[in-house]
DNA sequence: TATCAAGGCTACTGAGCATTAGCCTTTCCA
DNA sequence: TGGAAAGGCTAATGCTCAGTAGCCTTGATA
């Protein structure tokens, strides 16, 4: 089973309570960081005491790991859907970047935590997350490479261009606010165009 | 005294020992995060025990704060030097972005910690760092605005373009490695050109 | 209606942490 | 040469935290 196949399988369903706990943990991890968030606080956010969390969750580390693994899988899903059946490489890049950026606005907390808390994961979980991340990077880089090979794109460095595209998404996750004065569509559209200029596509 | 004037004043000199401690703390904060770094580890990195640190430093929090405040001031300095006396707005943008990116390669640990550990600062220090960061953002946005006003730049959103430029620097700080296969000059030059295409400058 | 699982709670455990207290050695200068 | 400052050290303090033990209530089911 390849990384991208795995991403398309359904993730196990959560009980409503478990989901509430995960959401609360996500918000707190994003706001103050994993290390600085206490189980007491996570509990309080769903109206129970810290120790009661353990009736639903096996550990704080597990909570972080499941958040991070799921977000990477979701990102793969979104990417696969966005580029499915698109033949033109410039279209594919634009759609991939749009999906990337849209994902980072719609799931900014998950993406934020996913980027920042890698070092808080234990060895095994970190390896799994890093693996998914590399696989996603390769997908984006693959599109850029293909465009260059077909002489549709012109870049000084494929690697640099790909990093730049990926970094824009992370940036969005850091500053985007739903109630801000930049709309999701506006950001998505503009960054999609940025992407094409970045790789020197004509038009 | 404005933010940018302050940045040009000399920062107080550190004793060699204090500097070694700061450097060690910086490395550790970057690697495992502020919360996850212990005073014992910082001490060990300079060959002393944790409590002995307090003969040189007033607190762990202070160590973080001085690292973060100094890096913001250095960034202001570098920017000011880069654009001083440059009249053409496109030149000024390119130089500003080049300086921005170069700074993020040369001081990647400082920049990395400076971006990621804001939430580990106490109230007063956080306010001071956020203040410097906003002031820097305004400098970059100011150049973009000026280019747009002069009809030299064409962007869908000044804010979005400025964020994109700033985010590229942060991205660099996250992935750049001195022994990697992308040289500092290569990255700086390429990103400088990215910047100009991004704002739709002709040529 | 008796039972049992689910899911709360409080009290506790054991560990780790930043920081302080207080002591000792070395070094340097008056 | 003597005394103080600088800069180490160990031991202790006081706190916070993740996770466990064990108890109790509730509600569904047999």
């Amino acid at each position: 089973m390849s990384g991208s196949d795995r991403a398309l399988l359904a993730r196990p369903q959560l009980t409503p309570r478990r989901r509430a706990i995960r959401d609360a943990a996500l918000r707190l991890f994003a706001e103050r960081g994993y290390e600085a968030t206490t189980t007491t606080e996570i509990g309080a956010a769903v109206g129970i005491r810290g120790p009661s969390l353990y009736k639903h969750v096996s550990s704080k580390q597990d909570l972080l790991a499941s958040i991070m693994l799921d977000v990477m899988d979701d990102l793969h899903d979104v990417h696969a859907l966005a580029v499915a059946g698109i033949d033109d490489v410039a279209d594919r890049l634009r759609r991939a970047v749009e999906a990337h950026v849209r994902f980072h606005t719609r799931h900014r907390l998950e993406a934020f935590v996913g980027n920042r808390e890698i070092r808080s994961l234990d060895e095994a979980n970190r390896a799994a997350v890093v693996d998914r991340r590399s696989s996603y990077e390769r997908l984006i880089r693959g599109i850029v490479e293909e465009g260059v090979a077909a002489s549709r794109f012109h870049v000084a460095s494929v690697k640099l261009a790909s990093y730049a595209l990926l970094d824009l998404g992370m940036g969005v996750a850091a500053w985007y606010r739903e109630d801000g004065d930049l709309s999701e569509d506006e950001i998505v559209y503009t960054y999609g165009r940025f992407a094409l200029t970045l790789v020197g596509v004509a038009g």
Side-chain angles (χ1 to χ4, degrees), chain A:
Chain A
M1 179 168 76
S2 82
S4 32
D5 289 342
R6 176 194 52 215
L8 284 170
L9 299 176
R11 251 83 68 198
Q13 203 58 31
L14 296 179
T15 64
R17 197 57 168 202
R18 256 190 82 96
R19 166 147 299 283
I21 291 171
R22 253 184 68 140
D23 288 352
L26 171 61
R27 229 171 318 114
L28 288 163
F29 290 165
E31 196 174 299
R32 52 192 76 180
Y34 175 77
E35 309 270 3
T37 300
T38 69
T39 52
T40 304
E41 288 169 328
I42 301 173
V46 296
I48 63 179
R49 304 301 173 110
S52 302
L53 284 175
Y54 290 81
K55 298 280 159 133
H56 305 278
V57 153
S58 73
S59 71
K60 188 184 158 192
Q61 170 70 209
D62 229 58
L63 214 36
L64 178 64
S66 80
I67 288 171
M68 293 186 68
L69 290 170
D70 282 359
V71 76
M72 287 310 302
D73 288 345
D74 289 346
L75 184 57
H76 272 88
D77 286 0
V78 154
H79 174 86
L81 270 174
V83 301
I86 309 298
D87 290 327
D88 182 75
V89 72
D91 277 352
R92 204 149 72 250
L93 182 68
R94 188 174 39 72
R95 277 167 164 271
V97 169
E98 284 179 358
H100 180 71
V101 169
R102 195 178 293 282
F103 185 87
H104 281 76
T105 62
R106 293 210 182 159
H107 304 277
R108 60 172 263 266
L109 294 186
E110 288 92 332
F112 189 78
V113 169
N115 278 318
R116 271 174 139 88
E117 297 294 352
I118 292 199
R119 60 192 173 191
S120 302
L121 289 171
D122 59 31
E123 193 48 54
N125 289 324
R126 179 162 51 242
V129 169
V130 166
D131 177 73
R132 283 164 171 76
R133 174 191 280 212
S134 308
S135 131
Y136 182 73
E137 281 177 11
R138 273 194 302 276
L139 294 173
I140 299 291
R141 198 187 300 189
I143 300 178
V144 176
E145 265 162 6
E146 196 188 321
V148 168
S151 297
R152 297 285 309 282
F153 301 168
H154 304 90
V155 299
S157 159
V158 167
K159 198 174 183 180
L160 209 43
S162 315
Y163 279 173
L165 295 175
L166 291 163
D167 289 342
L168 290 179
M170 303 198 192
V172 168
W175 53 255
Y176 178 74
R177 293 295 177 278
E178 278 164 44
D179 57 357
D181 57 351
L182 291 166
S183 76
E184 180 186 309
D185 283 341
E186 194 177 351
I187 298 168
V188 165
Y189 176 75
T190 305
Y191 274 22
R193 286 182 42 108
F194 276 177
L196 294 183
T197 16
L198 213 71
V199 298
V201 94

